[in-house]
Amino acid sequence: MEAIASIKCGKYTNDGKKQFSYGTAGFRTKADDLETVLFRMGLLAVLRSKATKAHIGLMITASHNPACDNGVKLVDPHAEMMVQSWESHATAVANASDENLGTVLQQLITEESICVQEAAKVVIGRDTRPSSDALHAAAVAGVQALGGTVVECGVVTTPVLHYRVLCANDGGSYGVASNEGYTDKLTKAFLRLQSAAAPKDSRYSPDLLFDGANGVGGLQMALMLPRLGEVLKLSLLNCGEGEGVLNYQCGADYVKTSQSWPRGVPSEPGSRCVSVDGDADRVIYSYLDDGGHFHLVDGDKIATLIAGYLQHLLSAAGGSLVDVGGGSLVDVGGGSLVDVGDGLLVDVGGGSLVDVAGCWWLVIDGCWWWVIGGWWWWVIGGWWWWVIVGCLSLRLGLVQTAYANGASTRYINGTLGVPVSCAKTGVKYLHHEALTYDIGVYFEANGHGTVVFSDAAKSAITTAAENDNAAATRLCAVVDVINETVGDAISDMLLVEVVLKERGWSMADWDSQYADLPNRLVKVTVADRSVVTTTDAERRCVTPTALQPALDNLIAEKFAGLQARSFVRPSGTEDVMRVYAEAVTRAAADHLALEVSRLVYDLAGGVGDRP
């Protein structure tokens, strides 16, 4: 405790000129302001490691932001974002004066009952930004100042850092705790899946342009490319070579927000492109049709592709699962098991359901089956299995944010029959909501997303695969190709390619599953982003009190009948408001975005030129 009280900042002094706030993506701002923050986050990571008795991750990146920015976020033991209750600690430590830093740390130790004698290990990774090396040195200095041990990842994608943290804490059951372990796991699973033949009438092409945003994703793909061979014919572009600038007119964020083809990528008609962002945790597809016209395939369509594929595999394996108003519907080779809240109704191909003395009995070929002590008996592939009611029903669900295109939500619910939840923007909120399902698919429209599987789901899938169930065997490989720890552009790309090949789909086939409503996402700079607060998963504004009524009146008076929708939310990292608008025509969506931007400027303290 004495060493903590007298902690020395050395050259990483805090002059107090700038205040920092730990948001949904950690700290993110101009790189020149961050050395003192990185030193202090090294200190905080050590205390978090001691508190959890586990490895903690520290990632240095600003993701899709310009190259002049940088940032840092901490990753908890299960590779999730740092628990929200510690975000205020991060803010307090980052803003503490040099003289008061020791006191702030001691208060944290007391409040969280941390045993300072515990060992601490911090897994550190960084992206390719020019400022990352200096910020890395500051973080290492912070870790070492409190006697922590640095586990060095080097220059890696954000998903690799998350993978490394989980593997370091679970004894290696998720994978080998090394950068090579990540590459091996994904590549081997992908090659297993792609070994299956495509349909005879397939329109799928393995030729794909890879837009690396001039970031770290290109380095990772360069490691994997030689092992992919002819299975996936990638052309690596915007991978930091030449005069390319990180995230400038290229990468997932640029393609999504500008809805245009990335700079530095050949624009031949018929080309298809996958774009990742600066730290490779977002992925967006796009293509040029035979006439050279641009088409965007964003995170919403990636989510529906993956959810539909998982539903298909579950059905083929013996049970397709969807939510039915609080219960679950399971297709069992010609029969179904339905939980309707009050009890289970079962129809197994040719059997009959009988209510005897208030209990449901099932007659199949003269045999009676019923519930005894909470157990149900049912048939899959000629074998009788029993399940504990409510414990083995695998629930497939998809989690979106308010940014999801309204057309995608209607397609998921109406055509796929998969339940949809809406969560606040930010991976920590989507990930948490996805965990309420046995198989949870979560994606933001910006291309940040993944799939998580409950332990029960993995166990059921593994058991079925061990009994020579071909679809379940394929599901096992799907589980391995997915990086469950966080949105992973490369993992998601590999899974998309698997699905497209198995379906035999071209980009146009995939894109045609539903038509997106035209939409526009814009920013409005404000003096203080905290003046805007939201509710209903950020779909409605609470303050300023005049803003939401004005927005509602605008849509009712000027955009009635145009399927118009708009919302406003504060950025988690900078003093800007993000305005999303969609409508049935491009002109209406653009006009709505402009009108709402003006409302935000007028009512929420806009600065600079009025939109």
Side-chain angles (χ1 to χ4, degrees), residues 1 89 100 102-112:
M1 292 290 282
H89 293 322
N100 199 41
T103 300
V104 171
L105 294 174
Q106 285 182 315
Q107 290 172 344
L108 190 163
I109 290 167
T110 300
E111 183 178 336
E112 298 292 342

Side-chain angles (χ1 to χ4, degrees), residues 149-428:
T149 299
V150 172
V151 179
E152 187 58 66
C153 292
V155 177
V156 293
T157 68
T158 290
V160 170
L161 184 280
H162 282 255
Y163 167 89
R164 289 283 302 267
V165 172
L166 179 58
C167 294
N169 286 315
D170 74 351
S173 62
Y174 188 71
V176 177
S178 68
N179 299 354
E180 295 77 14
Y182 167 90
T183 300
D184 288 346
K185 182 179 181 181
L186 266 62
T187 304
K188 289 178 180 177
F190 174 72
L191 292 175
R192 289 203 309 273
L193 288 164
Q194 290 296 75
S195 63
K200 291 182 179 180
D201 60 349
S202 175
R203 290 172 297 278
Y204 170 75
S205 169
D207 295 314
L208 181 63
L209 304 173
F210 180 89
D211 166 23
N214 291 307
V216 69
L219 300 181
Q220 179 60 45
M221 280 314 307
L223 296 174
M224 302 174 75
L225 186 61
R227 300 175 59 175
L228 299 179
E230 295 297 303
V231 174
L232 184 60
K233 300 176 182 178
L234 286 172
S235 297
L236 302 187
L237 304 157
N238 294 333
C239 292
E241 71 284 353
E243 299 180 358
V245 178
L246 178 70
N247 292 323
Y248 179 67
Q249 296 186 349
C250 62
D253 188 63
Y254 171 79
V255 174
K256 170 62 177 174
T257 56
S258 70
Q259 301 188 29
S260 57
W261 193 252
R263 181 180 182 180
V265 177
S267 53
E268 296 295 325
S271 298
R272 66 189 190 107
C273 178
V274 60
S275 297
V276 306
D277 66 340
D279 65 336
D281 66 354
R282 296 185 184 189
V283 61
I284 293 289
Y285 273 78
S286 57
Y287 69 100
L288 301 175
D289 61 26
D290 292 339
H293 300 106
F294 172 83
H295 299 267
L296 175 70
V297 184
D298 65 8
D300 292 340
K301 289 202 169 178
I302 295 173
T304 57
L305 181 77
I306 292 173
Y309 181 63
L310 290 172
Q311 186 186 54
H312 162 72
L313 287 181
L314 288 167
S315 178
S320 72
L321 318 175
V322 297
D323 185 47
V324 184
S328 58
L329 173 64
V330 185
D331 182 17
V332 187
S336 60
L337 169 64
V338 185
D339 177 358
V340 290
D342 296 324
L344 293 172
L345 311 179
V346 184
D347 175 13
V348 182
S352 58
L353 189 66
V354 183
D355 181 3
V356 180
C359 295
W360 287 106
W361 297 67
L362 180 66
V363 187
I364 305 174
D365 294 333
C367 295
W368 291 78
W369 300 90
W370 67 97
V371 180
I372 303 177
W375 303 85
W376 262 103
W377 295 79
W378 51 318
V379 65
I380 302 178
W383 292 85
W384 286 98
W385 299 77
W386 48 265
V387 298
I388 303 175
V389 173
C391 291
L392 196 59
S393 294
L394 302 183
R395 297 181 65 240
L396 170 65
L398 193 149
V399 184
Q400 297 180 315
T401 70
Y403 288 112
N405 194 282
S408 74
T409 306
R410 286 189 287 273
Y411 174 77
I412 296 161
N413 271 321
T415 303
L416 296 183
V418 174
V420 179
S421 302
C422 189
K424 291 175 61 178
T425 302
V427 64
K428 62 185 178 184

Side-chain angles (χ1 to χ4, degrees), residues 473-495:
T473 300
R474 195 159 181 81
L475 265 172
C476 285
V478 168
V479 172
D480 282 343
V481 86
I482 290 170
N483 184 353
E484 295 182 65
T485 65
V486 73
D488 185 334
I490 292 174
S491 165
D492 294 337
M493 176 198 73
L494 295 177
L495 182 56

Side-chain angles (χ1 to χ4, degrees), residues 204 272 305 496-505 510:
Y204 170 75
R272 66 189 190 107
L305 181 77
V496 165
E497 294 303 312
V498 166
V499 180
L500 292 179
K501 180 184 176 184
E502 184 166 335
R503 301 280 200 197
W505 283 357
W510 176 16

